Amino acid sequence: GAGVSQSPSNKVTEKGKDVELRCDPISGHTALYWYRQSLGQGLEFLIYFQGNSAPDKSGLPSDRFSAERTGGSVSTLTIQRTQQEDSAVYLCASSSWTSGNNEQFFGPGTRLTVL
Amino acid sequence: DAKTTQPPSMDCAEGRAANLPCNHSTISGNEYVYWYRQIHSQGPQYIIHGLKNNETNEMASLIITEDRKSSTLILPHATLRDTAVYYCIVREVGSSGYSTLTFGKGTMLLVSP
C-alpha cells in the first residue's frame, strides 16, 4: 500500500529564497509530524499536527519556519529567507492510534541544500 | 534532550545475533521504550516497543530489565541489510495516544560478511 510520500526529493536553493516542502501522509492517519536531520545528527522534532487540534509548534527553530495541514491530509512546510544552516533532510511522518501503538511511518525525506 | 544512552557503534557478523543495549535510567512509569532504525538515505522505520514485558515480533526481540532502567534490542540472525543506525527512544504516550519522538544519536550497527 501507499506509504508517506514527500516532494521534492531534493531541493537546492539560494540563501534568502523561500522553499515549500510537501508531505502526503498515509490515508486515514490523523497525526502528522515534521522532523529534520542535519548531517551526522539525530532527528530533530519540528511540528506536529493531530486531527483538528492546534498544532504543536514547539520544535520550530525560528519564525522563518511554518507549516500548514489542509483538510487534515497534505501538509506543507515553508521555510522563508533560507539560511545555510537550514540545509538538512526534512522528514515527515504520520500515525494512527491503534491498539495502544503509535507507530510513526516516515517518508523518504526531502534533502534541502541552501547555497 | 534524549533520555537514553546508546553506544555509538557496534559490529556484528552476518548470521549472528546482534544485541544492542540502551540505558534509560530516568524512565518513568508511563513511558514506553521504542526502537526505530534508519538505513542510509531512508526515513526511520519502526521496529518494536514495550512497556515492561519482553516483546517479540517478526523483526526483533526487546528485553527490558525488571527495573526498566535498561533494555536490549536483539536481532536474532543479522543480515547485511540490517546495517543501520538504531535508535532507542523513551516516550510517554498520553491520553490522546500521540506524542513526538525524541531521537538521540543512536547506535550505528555494521553487519559484516
Side-chain angles (χ1 to χ4, degrees):
Chain A
V4 177
S5 61
Q6 293 185 246
S7 60
S9 55
N10 282 284
K11 176 71 176 178
V12 180
T13 190
E14 294 179 347
K15 177 181 173 180
K17 295 287 181 67
D18 298 351
V19 295
E20 285 190 352
L21 312 180
R22 177 187 169 106
C23 172
D24 285 85
I26 293 173
S27 177
H29 280 192
T30 56
L32 185 148
Y33 312 77
W34 282 99
Y35 297 84
R36 75 175 175 181
Q37 187 170 32
S38 301
L39 186 62
Q41 301 296 313
L43 277 76
E44 173 190 5
F45 163 72
L46 297 177
I47 187 170
Y48 149 54
F49 297 88
Q50 199 273 305
N52 296 320
S53 303
D56 177 354
K57 304 180 181 181
S58 60
L60 295 178
S62 78
D63 59 8
R64 296 186 294 106
F65 288 72
S66 63
E68 291 185 343
R69 189 179 185 193
T70 55
S73 180
V74 172
S75 177
T76 301
L77 177 69
T78 300
I79 308 173
Q80 295 178 311
R81 305 181 302 282
T82 52
Q83 303 294 313
Q84 289 183 333
E85 60 263 28
D86 299 334
S87 296
V89 176
Y90 289 80
L91 289 154
C92 174
S94 70
S95 68
S96 176
W97 177 246
T98 304
S99 302
N101 180 14
N102 185 13
E103 174 185 350
Q104 292 185 18
F105 294 82
F106 283 81
T110 293
R111 181 175 297 278
L112 175 66
T113 303
V114 182
L115 302 177
Chain B
D1 291 331
K3 299 175 66 173
T4 62
T5 304
Q6 299 176 253
S9 64
M10 293 185 64
D11 294 327
C12 180
E14 187 178 20
R16 304 296 293 271
N19 298 286
L20 293 97
C22 180
N23 287 323
H24 30 80
S25 58
T26 61
I27 193 171
S28 63
N30 61 346
E31 289 180 318
Y32 290 69
V33 180
Y34 276 73
W35 283 82
Y36 280 73
R37 74 179 183 184
Q38 188 173 23
I39 295 170
H40 182 62
S41 297
Q42 297 183 21
Q45 175 192 24
Y46 166 83
I47 300 173
I48 198 167
H49 79 288
L51 183 62
K52 52 184 178 182
N53 297 323
N54 297 337
E55 303 287 344
T56 296
N57 63 20
E58 65 278 4
M59 290 183 68
S61 295
L62 174 61
I63 308 298
I64 303 174
T65 58
E66 191 169 343
D67 63 8
R68 304 211 318 126
K69 292 185 177 181
S70 65
S71 61
T72 301
L73 178 74
I74 301 172
L75 307 178
H77 304 288
T79 71
L80 300 180
R81 289 175 295 180
D82 292 323
T83 292
V85 178
Y86 287 76
Y87 296 99
C88 169
I89 300 164
V90 165
R91 175 191 195 181
E92 179 178 353
V93 180
S95 57
S96 69
Y98 301 95
S99 67
T100 60
L101 297 170
T102 301
F103 287 80
K105 296 287 182 66
T107 296
M108 174 66 214
L109 175 68
L110 176 62
V111 181
S112 303

